[in-house]
Amino acid sequence: MSTAPERIAVVTGGSRGIGRAISTRLAADGFTVVVNHASGTDAAAATVAEIEGAGGRALAVQADVADEHAVAAMLDRVETDHGGVDVVVHSAGRLALSTIADQDLEALDALHRTNIRGTFVVAQQAAHRLRAGGAFVGLSTSVVGTQVPTYGAYVASKSAAEGMVMILAKELRGRDVTANVVAPGPTATELFLDGKTQEQIDALAKVPPLERLGRPEDIAGVVAFLVGPDGRWVNGQTIRANGGMV
């Protein structure tokens, strides 16, 4: 009796928040998941343990997404050990909130190194390595559309990321590889909730017509659809997963 070939998914920033939910969901869907992390070794190990405890397959690999040599080495290891790469989800990102007038430019440079250069590096490496039937998914933000004050630097970086992935989808013509972006609205992660009062959280939860914050699992479900068999006809799109925010 033949067995199905191993399917490999690499999730950058895969050890925390939305990235962790994506990692666990793809593992539940049968992927061997490479949980990439920049520095959170304990969180990555905990994510791998959670996946393995549920009967899935995972490994943690450290790499700075903005370092092309580190990303290439990570994917070289995956290809050597597992034979190829089928899915790359670029969830790693950095947030710095400030008005444009007061934005610290060193913080801006650090944010853009991760969010713009990092997206470009990961997309570039994925373009060389994804197998036929594969998928690339980038993560953006619905604030690109809602344009909330103090998000100027972040929105600039995520707008750039959206544009890159739309072009990538066209450049992968003939490869049977899709490229899409998921842009979450307010999602109840540790990073999002940190520093907010309960009053602020309650107000944000009322913004979508569904009147709640998103859950990391909500975003992971959209990603799982895009990289699964039912999402093969969706390509070159930004999906705003935000409960109906305008």
Side-chain angles (χ1 to χ4, degrees), residues 26-107:
L26 296 187
D29 287 352
F31 287 92
T32 297
V33 178
V34 178
V35 179
N36 160 258
H37 61 103
S39 58
T41 303
D42 291 345
T47 303
V48 170
E50 179 182 352
I51 289 170
E52 292 180 338
R57 301 179 302 275
L59 64 151
V61 180
Q62 186 172 15
D64 174 0
V65 294
D67 181 340
E68 64 273 29
H69 304 294
V71 174
M74 173 177 67
L75 294 179
D76 283 344
R77 173 182 168 184
V78 174
E79 289 183 320
T80 298
D81 293 349
H82 299 276
V85 180
D86 300 289
V87 167
V88 174
V89 180
H90 181 49
S91 180
R94 185 187 292 265
L95 175 66
L97 299 182
S98 170
T99 62
I100 290 171
D102 296 325
Q103 179 68 61
D104 178 83
L105 295 183
E106 289 188 4

Side-chain angles (χ1 to χ4, degrees), residues 3-24:
T3 58
E6 185 180 28
R7 299 272 288 167
I8 311 298
V10 177
V11 182
T12 70
S15 64
R16 297 179 184 275
I18 290 172
R20 181 169 183 161
I22 292 168
S23 295
T24 57

Side-chain angles (χ1 to χ4, degrees), residues 167-185:
I167 290 172
L168 179 65
K170 294 177 171 62
E171 292 177 346
L172 292 171
R173 175 182 291 273
R175 292 269 305 276
D176 188 26
V177 173
T178 63
N180 294 286
V181 171
V182 176

